[in-house]
Structure formats: C-alpha cells, structure tokens
Amino acid sequence: MADYDVIIIGGGPGGYVCAIRCAQLGLKTACVEGRGALGGTCLNVGCIPSKALLHASHSYHEAHTNFEKMGLMGGAPSVDMGKMMDYKQSVIDANVNGIEFLFKKNKVDYLRGWGKISGKGEVSVDGEVHKAKSIVIATGSEVAPLKGVEVDQDTVIDSTGALALTEVPKRLVVIGAGVIGLEMGSVYARLGAEVTVVEFLDHVTPGMDAEIQKTLLRSLKKQGIKFILKAAVQSVEAKDGVATVHYKLRKDDSEATLEADKVLLATGRKPFTDGLGLEGMGIKTSQRGQVETDGHWRTNVDGIYALGDVIDGPMLAHKAEDEGMAVAESIAGQAGHVNYGVIPGVIYTTPEVASVGKTEAQLKEEGRAYKVGKFSFMGNGRAKAVFGSEGFVKILADKDTDRILGCHLMGPMAGELIHEICVAMEFGASAEDIARTCHAHPTFSEAVREAALACGDGAIHA
Ligand code: FAD
Ligand code: NAI
C-alpha cells in the first residue's frame, strides 16, 4: 500500500500523459495499467500499429504503381506477412518502451494490474489497496458489438484482429466506412485483397466535409475498393473459414448476401469501464456508457476525474492527451483548458484527409455567413512530383471578418498541413494572415496558402 496525490487508472494516451504532467507539476503520481504494456489502445492496437501497416502497404503499392514511372526498374517486391507483422511489433515495442522510460524519468510509479475504485480515495490493484487524494479514470474504449455479428478473431475480426493477420485474405468484407474501415480496408486492398465495404449511410466518413466524403469515395473506388452504401449489415455466418454477410438495402428493404474469407467489424467503439467499481462509488454514466463529467472533467463524486475515450467527445488519441494535460493542471490548482473547437481529425488513407473546425453543413445550420477558399493539389508543383495531385485544400472563413472557421484537406501530408490552420485558429487568425505569410517553395504547404489567397483576391496557380 502506498499513498499518492494522484492515481490514474489506464495507461493510454490520456492516462500516461496525465501521469507525466501530474509528476512534472510536483504531484506524487501512480498510473495503473492492466494490459501488461503502457500506451493503451493507441500504441498497442490502434493508431501506431495501423500507421505502421499503412506505411508498409503504401510502400508496396508505390513500388508496384509508380517506381517504373520514375525509372526505378527491377522486380516489384512480394509480401511476407510474418515480416510485416514483426516490423509492426517493433514499432509498437519502441513506442511502449519509450513511455516506460518517460515514467521512470518523471518518477511516475507504474502499477501493473487491473485497478478498481474500492472506496473514497482508494484504488485496489489486483487486490492491493493504494490511497490517493485524486483519482483519474482514463480506461479508454473497446470495440462496440453489432447484433448478429460475433467476432471470433478468425473469420470475423475486429480492428485488433485486422492488425494481426498472418496472410492477406482473398476477399475481405468491411462493415462500416468510418475511419477504421477505410484505413484497414486500404491496407489489405493495397496488399492485394478484394475489399468490399458495406456502409449504412449514403456516404463514407460520417461527420466530415461532404465534398471530402465524395472525393475520397471516388478515389478509394479508383484504387479498387468496392462500396455498398445505404446497406445495413444484419448478421454474419461463419462456417469452415468462409463468412456470409447478410445485409439489407435501405432503399427497398431487400436482402442480399456477400461471401468473404474475412469480415472486419468496424462500426464504432464504446467506453470501457468493466470492473472499475463505478456502480459501487455511485459514479454517473450516460446512456452510451460514458462517464459523465462537468466542464473541468470532474465526475459527480468528489476527487474523481475522467478523460479520453471513456467520456464524451471524439475518440481520438490527441483529444485524450490534451485532456490528460488539462486534468493534471486542474488537479495541481492551475486552469486546465482544452479548446474543443480546434481538434483536428486525420484519416491516413491515400490521399490523406484532415479536417479542423466547422464544416460547411455546420455553418449553414448555424446561419453563419462564410466564404470558401479552395485550391486543388493539381496546381501544386511538389504534389505533381510525388504523384499526389489528387485532392484539395478548402478554407472556410467568416464572410465579414475573414476569420478562419474551418479547413478541410485531402492530399499529400494532409495530416501535417492541417496544423498550420490549427495554430492560425488558436490565434484567431484571418485567411489573409496565412495568405500574407511566406511559404517555402516547393512545398505542399503552398496549397494551404493558395486556398487562403482564394478567400481574398484569388489564388495565383489556379
Ligand atoms: P486507451 O488508449 O483505450 O487506454 C486505456 C487503457 O486503460 C488501456 O490500455 C486499458 O488496458 C487500460 N485499462 C482499462 N481499464 C483498466 C483498469 N480497470 N485497470 C487498469 N487499466 C485499465 N486515434 C487517433 O487520434 N489517431 C489515430 O490514427 C487512431 N487510430 C486508431 C486505430 C485503431 C485501429 C483504433 C482502434 C483506434 C485508433 N485511434 C486513433 C483512437 C485512439 O486509439 C483512442 O482515441 C485513444 O487510444 C484513447 O486514449 P485513452 O487513453 O482514452 O484510452
Ligand atoms: P466510426 O464511428 O468512425 O464508423 C462506423 C461506421 O459504421 C459508420 O459509418 C456507420 O454508419 C457504420 N455502420 C454502423 N452500423 C452499421 C451496419 N449495421 N451496417 C453497415 N454499416 C454500419 O467507427 P470506427 O471506424 O469503428 O472507429 C472507431 C473510432 O476509432 C472512431 O471514433 C475514431 O475516432 C477512432 N479512430 C480514429 C482514427 C484516426 O484518427 N485516424 C483511426 C481509427 C480509429
């Protein structure tokens, strides 16, 4: 038994960042993690391994499609899934070990085991009780089940299964055209699988800018991914390594089936609070199972906070990290703050997609007068040199004040480019501020400047 200022339950990006910041602010801190490795979903079975596989499969695809065009001759590579998974694991290990190192460096105690809030100011870890003045719930999320679809991690897999396949399936059906469906669908399509995505809505990536949704769909179709939209999956039967996916077309309620060697369930995630002792402590949760918090991440029970995927808001690692820092600051008596209006979202397909702030649909709904500055990567010299001229930058700015309200980007390095807009928005910048900033040539960033110019007197290279 040990006494702490703060115990954080969960060592994902929300929890470990909170722990490091608490320790940096002079609080005696421990972080409890049950999975046997720090880094949470993100480092172990989420962001990091998926990006490793996206990188590997993109490189393979480049070798097959573009190398010869650049005069790089020789046999195109073949796929060794075992080696690819070893590479993925080495990336995970390097990141996970890095967090352990940071804990030691910052003197955060790493308590290995499953934590339960066993009483006021008490966390028991596999039976051993530790005391803390403040407790932070950062237990993350898990795959949400879909009625009629049983994940066996053999024929029917979830994202964790999709990150660990030992061979490329011949036919892969993905249920859900959200972020996981499109990223993992892209990985296996590039590696040679016939990928079909079945989606309930009439578009991909719900919540994104409508023009991005259409352009991304077109691009992914061109890459060979098939889409069945406006179709609700009802059930999946798995027998002798073959799956039959039953779905209903929403236009006429007709039923149809698809056969596949693997089916990936990618229809969302839900908060993970099993065994945490919420009921015993009277901690309120929403109908969706999220731990309820106020504007300062406090639950209804004094001294207990919550953050990350387990509370309301986008399920994103950087949102969890920002909350982690803000909660630490609040506990240390500072004014922790997260600007929820400037949280970027990135989809790591090719082309990459990135978005921040309001969409046109949201601005229309709010009745806010806005202008659009758009620039296609067709007009960007650097993009042409890397086969990346598909896509565009779209900046939305207030019609009268020119203040940037949002940006929607599709193209090379979109996930990096978006941060110029994030910083601009944090400073309340206008489109003209970006337009008047010198951007190095030749860079993809010039496309962002051109879109900003298009909000005013016009882009130069359009
Ligand atoms: P988690 O990362 O889920 O961490 C919670 C941790 O708490 C877990 O390790 C769990 O074992 C532990 N835990 C739970 N209960 C207990 C307990 N009682 N005792 C001890 N430990 C406990 N987001 C992005 O921003 N970018 C991406 O590119 C991205 N890619 C993703 C790809 C995939 C395939 C998936 C599944 C997710 C992806 N995400 C991505 C989402 C991202 O992983 C999550 O938003 C993020 O991990 C949430 O952080 P968290 O700290 O709230 O929770
Ligand atoms: P999602 O919520 O993004 O998408 C789920 C999709 O499934 C939706 O389009 C929905 O309409 C569809 N759907 C639901 N039921 C269906 C049915 N019966 N039949 C057909 N379609 C159906 O969920 P996803 O992709 O599982 O991702 C979960 C979370 O992980 C996301 O919230 C995201 O924030 C996070 N994530 C983030 C990444 C990133 O930032 N790059 C990468 C991967 C995950």
Side-chain angles (χ1 to χ4, degrees):
M1 145 111 96
D3 271 6
Y4 292 98
D5 292 316
V6 192
I7 295 181
I8 293 124
I9 309 177
Y16 83 69
V17 166
C18 184
I20 291 171
R21 182 56 101 222
C22 282
Q24 288 172 339
L25 295 176
L27 301 167
K28 186 168 161 48
T29 309
C31 181
V32 189
E33 174 52 63
R35 73 164 68 229
L38 292 170
T41 303
C42 174
L43 265 56
N44 292 283
V45 288
C47 326
I48 296 297
S50 59
K51 269 77 245 178
L53 294 186
L54 278 157
H55 175 66
S57 59
H58 178 67
S59 306
Y60 174 77
H61 190 252
E62 279 285 290
H64 278 264
T65 50
N66 290 331
F67 273 23
E68 215 177 292
K69 292 180 199 159
M70 293 186 283
L72 299 173
M73 311 311 279
S78 59
V79 178
D80 180 330
M81 280 304 273
K83 278 208 168 140
M84 197 181 285
M85 290 299 158
D86 289 347
Y87 148 72
K88 176 209 74 177
Q89 193 57 45
S90 70
V91 177
I92 295 174
D93 293 344
N95 280 285
V96 166
N97 294 340
I99 309 298
E100 275 204 47
F101 164 78
L102 291 175
F103 270 17
K104 282 189 191 127
K105 183 179 160 199
N106 288 285
K107 301 194 171 43
V108 173
D109 283 356
Y110 172 15
L111 307 177
R112 292 162 200 262
W114 295 101
K116 179 180 176 175
I117 307 174
S118 45
K120 199 168 163 40
E122 274 183 19
V123 175
S124 79
V125 181
D126 288 345
E128 190 182 347
V129 178
H130 301 269
K131 289 205 176 286
K133 293 188 191 88
S134 302
I135 295 169
V136 181
I137 300 169
T139 50
S141 62
E142 61 179 341
V143 174
L146 182 67
K147 202 169 145 252
V149 183
E150 198 184 318
V151 173
D152 57 16
Q153 298 298 20
D154 182 19
T155 311
V156 185
I157 55 179
D158 59 18
S159 55
T160 301
L163 291 167
L165 290 184
T166 50
E167 54 188 62
V168 179
K170 195 170 167 317
R171 298 164 301 174
L172 171 69
V173 167
V174 177
I175 313 175
V179 205
I180 293 181
L182 299 189
E183 288 187 356
M184 295 314 298
S186 291
V187 166
Y188 288 103
R190 291 169 189 169
L191 295 178
E194 284 169 27
V195 176
T196 307
V197 181
V198 186
E199 166 58 46
F200 180 79
L201 301 169
D202 63 356
H203 55 264
V204 299
T205 62
M208 281 262 170
D209 171 80
E211 215 175 340
I212 294 261
Q213 289 171 340
K214 274 192 211 126
T215 322
L216 179 63
L217 177 63
R218 201 182 318 129
S219 174
L220 293 172
K221 278 185 180 168
K222 245 178 25 200
Q223 291 168 40
I225 302 180
K226 293 195 184 101
F227 285 86
I228 302 174
L229 300 177
K230 292 189 269 183
V233 169
Q234 307 290 302
S235 63
V236 178
E237 283 169 79
K239 207 173 160 210
D240 303 329
V242 176
T244 309
V245 180
H246 296 259
Y247 62 93
K248 218 179 220 182
L249 286 169
R250 283 171 52 212
K251 65 171 191 274
D252 56 8
D253 259 2
S254 62
E255 291 186 16
T257 58
L258 262 177
E259 285 211 335
D261 306 298
K262 299 276 180 209
V263 176
L264 166 59
L265 177 67
T267 52
R269 296 177 62 83
K270 67 178 180 76
F272 181 75
T273 54
D274 292 0
L276 197 53
L278 295 187
E279 305 78 15
M281 293 300 298
I283 296 170
K284 276 197 196 146
T285 53
S286 69
Q287 267 197 331
R288 297 179 56 203
Q290 294 159 328
V291 176
E292 288 190 355
T293 52
D294 65 9
H296 301 280
W297 307 278
R298 292 179 297 214
T299 68
N300 61 309
V301 176
D302 206 28
I304 303 182
Y305 299 75
L307 58 84
D309 276 13
V310 80
I311 69 167
D312 193 22
M315 287 183 164
L316 295 171
H318 42 284
K319 177 258 192 189
E321 290 185 39
D322 274 26
E323 288 175 344
M325 283 192 274
V327 167
E329 286 163 1
S330 297
I331 293 173
Q334 300 182 1
H337 175 71
V338 175
N339 182 359
Y340 287 101
V342 186
I343 295 186
V346 180
I347 308 177
Y348 299 83
T349 45
T350 302
E352 210 161 271
V353 167
S355 169
V356 68
K358 305 274 183 181
T359 60
E360 287 195 67
Q362 285 169 331
L363 291 171
K364 278 183 189 137
E365 206 180 303
E366 288 173 13
R368 184 144 187 191
Y370 67 94
K371 54 188 171 177
V372 181
K374 210 176 139 190
F375 186 77
S376 163
F377 276 99
M378 294 278 282
N380 179 271
R382 182 76 181 279
K384 283 201 188 93
V386 302
F387 308 100
S389 49
E390 204 178 356
F392 57 85
V393 183
K394 186 204 264 188
I395 294 178
L396 308 176
D398 187 278
K399 198 164 186 343
D400 302 318
T401 66
D402 196 37
R403 188 182 177 132
I404 299 171
L405 304 172
C407 177
H408 308 281
L409 247 156
M410 179 175 147
M413 297 282 179
E416 305 296 331
L417 299 182
I418 197 73
H419 296 103
E420 175 172 3
I421 301 291
C422 295
V423 173
M425 286 178 74
E426 285 287 359
F427 280 83
S430 63
E432 189 180 347
D433 289 323
I434 292 190
R436 289 197 181 276
T437 304
C438 184
H439 285 60
H441 176 76
T443 58
F444 304 127
S445 302
E446 287 174 289
V448 176
R449 184 194 198 178
E450 292 271 18
L453 280 164
C455 286
D457 293 334
I460 300 295
H461 295 91

